Amino acid sequence: MTHLEERLAERGLKLLKKEAINGSHAGRIYRIEAVDEENQKANLVYKEYETDRNNELHLYLKYSDLIKQFNKVVTVWDSRPKAILMHDLNSPLKKDFELRSGSDKRNLIERILDRLAVLHSLSVGKNANGLPTHETTSDWHEWCVDQMNRLCEQNHWTKTEWIKTINNAYEQLDLKNFQQQCPRVITHGDPHLENIFLKDGQIWLIDWEWAALSSPLRDITILCQDLYDTRLIQFVKESYQKVLHNNDFHIPSEEYQRDFNYFYIDHTTMMLAWEIEKYLQEYTSEEKIKEIIEFKIREINRVTNELGVS
Ligand SMILES: Nc1ncnc2c1ncn2[C@@H]1O[C@H](COP(=O)(O)OP(=O)(O)O)[C@@H](O)[C@H]1O
Ligand SMILES: [Mg+2]
């Protein structure tokens, strides 16, 4: 019997099918089909961690009451190989997001924002004592410049102004010394559309590796990273301010705007670096990476200019 078969057997489950979910993941992830003693089928996902990368597992153990409100976790194994078993939530929202109509996209975004507002409104003391605090640093900036340089070495189509735009934004905004303005809340830390699902009429969030105390705008600007439409990004920005207000979470507009803009630039830079990584690992086509870079650089420029300091 394999580890997985033994582990399922402990829970009265028999493995029928196992299929790897391929991609550049933090561990080995399998979609599995199993049956219980009453012959009821269960569709599950098993995520096994690399030995040096299991922060997520510790969060699942320590903050299980919190996370189980947002992800359908079945069980967690702290012994080797460390792993979690979850219900299969079907496809992440990223899969067909671009095929949806404008109003459909906005409806879906509103549902995600409502769900994030629930997380952001939870009491830190009751739910997340000891959760680390996220601070903006120069890490994403440095990583992105390194990635841009790697890209330049290999491709003639790169533009030197890309790095200039990023450097200019960080310098003008003094981003590495930025202090968040909004109150510290529990943030998921990585709610892009590959980590968000709609199942049984509810929004679910997986991949809690980066959960930390931070500004609510930390999450909102990560969500924006899968949107390639400036109007939709503006819609997110405006909608979430209203959602917080409706949840009796009142943040002065100036503080909200400031956190949004700064976190948005930092996360757009981070995501640029990650997108370049996926291109270098051949998960993305040349045509696609060019579109991604052009859009994100335009966005960094737009927001830096809006702040009136470039
Ligand atoms: N519970 C789940 N249901 C359906 N798909 C899942 C589930 N967990 C993971 N996946 C799939 O595996 C991918 C990677 O899982 P994730 O936990 O986000 O790992 P990583 O840290 O590598 O991003 C997800 O984007 C999704 O496609
Ligand atoms: Mg993920």
Side-chain angles (χ1 to χ4, degrees):
M1 256 200 201
T2 63
H3 262 299
L4 176 59
E5 282 169 317
E6 273 173 26
R7 286 176 165 185
L8 292 174
E10 280 165 21
R11 304 193 58 85
L13 292 166
K14 185 168 172 284
L15 182 67
L16 293 182
K17 234 163 116 182
K18 173 180 155 191
E19 191 189 321
I21 298 180
N22 294 321
S24 185
H25 299 307
R28 287 171 295 278
I29 307 174
Y30 303 96
R31 176 161 268 134
I32 63 180
E33 219 177 273
V35 277
D36 66 14
E37 281 138 358
E38 272 118 44
N39 233 10
Q40 291 287 327
K41 260 203 191 151
N43 293 97
L44 302 162
V45 168
Y46 180 71
K47 182 174 184 185
E48 209 173 78
Y49 296 90
E50 303 291 346
T51 35
D52 59 344
R53 183 130 182 224
N54 51 32
N55 178 45
E56 185 184 12
L57 182 119
H58 293 297
L59 294 174
Y60 271 99
L61 288 170
K62 194 163 174 197
Y63 303 105
S64 62
D65 288 343
L66 165 71
I67 299 178
K68 78 177 180 222
Q69 300 170 55
F70 299 93
N71 187 9
K72 293 185 177 216
V73 187
V74 178
T75 193
V76 179
W77 285 280
D78 195 20
S79 54
R80 284 199 183 177
K82 297 189 184 224
I84 62 170
L85 187 66
M86 305 165 265
H87 285 279
D88 186 344
L89 298 164
N90 300 339
S91 300
L93 292 181
K94 170 100 179 209
K95 187 162 175 268
D96 61 2
F97 189 78
E98 280 313 319
L99 304 174
R100 291 172 185 261
S101 68
S103 69
D104 203 10
K105 282 181 183 167
R106 287 193 296 278
N107 286 337
L108 199 55
I109 285 172
E110 280 176 334
R111 299 185 66 168
I112 299 170
L113 295 180
D114 283 340
R115 191 74 156 138
L116 286 172
V118 173
L119 175 68
H120 296 159
S121 303
L122 290 175
S123 144
V124 175
K126 281 197 199 131
N127 295 279
N129 254 329
L131 198 66
T133 300
H134 166 84
E135 306 284 356
T136 45
T137 62
S138 52
D139 290 2
W140 301 137
H141 179 201
E142 284 163 21
W143 184 35
C144 189
V145 170
D146 287 350
Q147 292 290 80
M148 285 277 180
N149 284 329
R150 280 176 73 200
L151 194 68
C152 286
E153 278 164 24
Q154 296 182 22
N155 299 283
H156 61 275
W157 46 261
T158 51
K159 298 183 185 159
T160 46
E161 73 215 39
W162 291 340
I163 294 187
K164 281 192 198 138
T165 300
I166 298 166
N167 286 343
N168 178 53
Y170 275 78
E171 202 178 297
Q172 299 292 325
L173 274 59
D174 193 17
L175 244 157
K176 73 170 188 291
N177 292 317
F178 173 66
Q179 301 284 328
Q180 70 171 71
Q181 310 277 301
C182 297
R184 282 215 164 89
V185 300
I186 304 169
T187 59
H188 173 279
D190 204 14
H192 56 74
L193 294 178
E194 271 170 303
N195 288 335
I196 308 180
F197 299 76
L198 178 61
K199 177 111 195 275
D200 304 330
Q202 179 63 287
I203 295 287
W204 301 96
L205 301 167
I206 63 158
D207 202 353
W208 288 76
E209 181 177 6
W210 304 106
L213 303 181
S214 182
S215 166
L217 281 322
R218 178 191 188 210
D219 280 345
I220 303 309
T221 54
I222 293 267
L223 174 65
C224 289
Q225 297 307 318
D226 278 325
L227 310 180
Y228 286 85
D229 173 344
T230 303
R231 279 170 315 176
L232 212 49
I233 291 163
Q234 282 299 120
F235 173 78
V236 171
K237 186 175 175 181
E238 285 158 23
S239 302
Y240 200 59
Q241 199 167 9
K242 288 186 204 140
V243 171
L244 286 179
H245 197 75
N246 294 341
N247 276 271
D248 279 332
F249 191 158
H250 304 288
I251 298 175
S253 192
E254 208 176 294
E255 292 171 15
Y256 178 93
Q257 303 281 337
R258 198 170 159 85
D259 271 15
F260 185 97
N261 291 330
Y262 279 65
F263 276 99
Y264 183 59
I265 290 182
D266 204 30
H267 285 144
T268 304
T269 305
M270 180 268 283
M271 207 49 90
L272 259 174
W274 176 234
E275 293 290 357
I276 293 171
E277 182 62 33
K278 287 195 280 182
Y279 167 73
L280 295 174
Q281 288 187 24
E282 298 181 4
Y283 285 106
T284 309
S285 68
E286 183 176 306
E287 189 191 357
K288 188 83 198 155
I289 192 66
K290 284 182 184 165
E291 272 174 36
I292 291 173
I293 297 175
E294 292 287 4
F295 181 83
K296 290 197 181 295
I297 291 289
R298 263 200 317 276
E299 281 294 283
I300 292 174
N301 242 328
R302 175 178 70 82
V303 175
T304 313
N305 289 337
E306 263 174 32
L307 288 167
V309 286
S310 73

